[in-house]
Amino acid sequence: MLLAAPRGYCAGVDRAVVAVEKALELHGAPVYVRKEIVHNKHVVRTLTERGAVFVDETDAVPRGAHLVFSAHGVSPAVREAAAARSLRTIDATCPLVTKVHKEAVRFAAQDAEILLIGHTGHEEVEGTAGEAPEHITVVDSPEVADTVEVRDPDNLVWLSQTTLSVDETMETVRRLRRRFPNLQDPPSDDICYATSNRQVAVKKIAPEADLVIVVGSANSSNSVRLVEVALDAGAGAAHRVDDAHEVDEAWLEGVTTVGVTSGASVPEVLVQDVLRFLAERGFGQVEEVTTAQEDLVFSLPTDLRRELKAGARRSLPVTPV
């Protein structure tokens, strides 16, 4: 069995999940979260059991309550709606998503037209597009790149959702540039390091694997992309599962080598459960294939750190004079 590394939690996901956990410790239940904090059923279920309440919009949150914005980010309109309800917000947006938001604002200020490569309806795309809706057009696929219309092909820039397939994104850019030769690149790659690293790792194991199992939820864009990348890289078959219970034993028939990886919002415990399931069925020898080392850590949201520090000061014992 080949186990891809890196896999699982990235720095932005870890930061967002810990932010909800710390908010619950500090304020008690309930703490509200707009949308899923990260796209993983297990994480959402575990936080719900601890007292987090997940809502679709701010109008479902009682006035004055604590609300966490998910790792995928929100538009200015959502922030304004939260402020109008006097909600005490904690912004758990991944810093790499925030970077794309800032790029959108800066290019819009230059009156550039922005082609945002990403999936229509994805929370991250909605948040980024909401920063400058009059300047942004979403390009959902390479095929859309062949037909999208622009106002000024000489003042055009592309940005992207952070969790896309690197190869598909660059194919979309190639098709756009074929039509619009003066298309500008963003100042740095928008696809996050974790998404890219996990795709490189699965490309490494896929050619040797009769079957690749990707642990991750169906609404996790980066997990779904890993299945596609594995197949494109030569895996005999590839399937996504939320956990070990979803692995179909029929997939293992005639299989000699299984590859395993997980999306960036997946806790390692779910991967280990899959490894145990496979070991019980004859795939007990595990070789970890490492293509990169990750040591990036993001600090908790500023307001939350300030509240935690204030809480720690209040809990210090008073020394008698």
Side-chain angles (χ1 to χ4, degrees):
M1 183 157 47
L2 302 175
L3 179 60
R7 64 182 177 277
Y9 268 15
C10 63
V13 164
D14 187 60
R15 173 182 185 264
V17 173
V18 172
V20 178
E21 293 172 341
K22 293 295 184 183
L24 285 166
E25 290 174 13
L26 189 64
H27 303 297
V31 167
Y32 294 84
V33 184
R34 185 182 180 273
K35 307 293 187 181
E36 294 187 354
I37 185 67
V38 296
H39 286 159
N40 183 267
K41 286 183 179 179
H42 174 85
V43 172
V44 171
R45 183 171 61 249
T46 300
L47 291 174
T48 299
E49 290 169 354
R50 295 184 60 176
V53 177
F54 293 87
V55 298
D56 284 332
E57 295 300 343
T58 55
D59 58 11
V61 183
R63 295 185 67 86
H66 290 90
L67 174 67
V68 182
F69 294 140
S70 80
H72 307 104
V74 297
S75 68
V78 171
R79 296 181 190 278
E80 291 166 8
R85 295 183 64 78
S86 302
L87 301 181
R88 291 175 284 180
T89 58
I90 297 170
D91 188 359
T93 303
C94 174
L96 299 180
V97 174
T98 299
K99 177 183 77 73
V100 180
H101 280 228
K102 290 179 178 178
E103 289 172 351
V105 171
R106 181 164 64 84
F107 285 120
Q110 299 168 4
D111 202 31
E113 187 171 357
I114 301 164
L115 297 179
L116 176 59
I117 301 172
H119 297 130
T120 301
H122 190 281
E123 290 145 47
E124 182 186 331
V125 170
E126 290 180 346
T128 302
E131 293 285 0
E134 69 282 1
H135 288 85
I136 293 178
T137 300
V138 176
V139 180
D140 196 71
S141 66
E143 291 70 33
V144 172
D146 293 334
T147 59
V148 65
E149 298 294 332
V150 303
R151 295 188 306 272
D152 183 359
D154 294 322
N155 190 19
L156 195 61
V157 64
W158 69 272
L159 300 175
S160 79
Q161 181 182 333
T162 62
T163 54
L164 299 179
S165 159
V166 176
D167 294 336
E168 182 175 336
T169 300
M170 296 320 298
E171 171 62 14
T172 302
V173 173
R174 186 188 68 79
R175 293 194 190 190
L176 288 171
R177 186 160 281 124
R178 185 173 60 197
R179 297 181 61 209
F180 312 116
N182 292 329
L183 177 69
Q184 302 174 59
D185 294 323
S188 61
D189 189 357
D190 286 344
I191 295 177
C192 91
Y193 77 96
T195 298
S196 178
N197 285 349
R198 280 146 191 72
Q199 290 176 14
V200 169
V202 84
K203 285 180 182 179
K204 183 73 172 179
I205 67 172
E208 301 178 45
D210 305 304
L211 166 69
V212 170
I213 294 175
V214 176
V215 186
S217 291
N219 61 340
S220 167
S221 178
N222 74 89
S223 297
V224 173
R225 300 290 83 71
L226 285 173
V227 175
E228 297 170 357
V229 170
L231 291 170
D232 289 344
H239 299 281
R240 180 206 55 77
V241 298
D242 268 295
D243 53 40
H245 296 97
E246 293 188 358
V247 179
D248 188 339
E249 292 193 46
W251 299 342
L252 303 176
E253 293 178 9
V255 167
T256 302
T257 303
V258 180
V260 177
T261 189
S262 60
S265 52
V266 177
E268 180 64 13
V269 63
L270 299 183
V271 176
Q272 294 303 317
D273 286 346
V274 169
L275 296 183
R276 278 191 290 273
F277 176 94
L278 293 171
E280 291 167 359
R281 287 152 181 82
F283 298 91
Q285 186 174 346
V286 179
E287 176 188 350
E288 189 166 51
V289 179
T290 303
T291 56
Q293 298 291 338
E294 294 179 351
D295 55 10
L296 183 63
V297 176
F298 292 134
S299 58
L300 288 171
T302 303
D303 289 347
L304 181 58
R305 278 186 283 131
R306 189 180 300 120
E307 289 182 330
L308 289 168
K309 188 176 294 184
R313 283 198 298 268
R314 286 193 297 271
S315 65
L316 288 174
V318 178
T319 304
V321 178

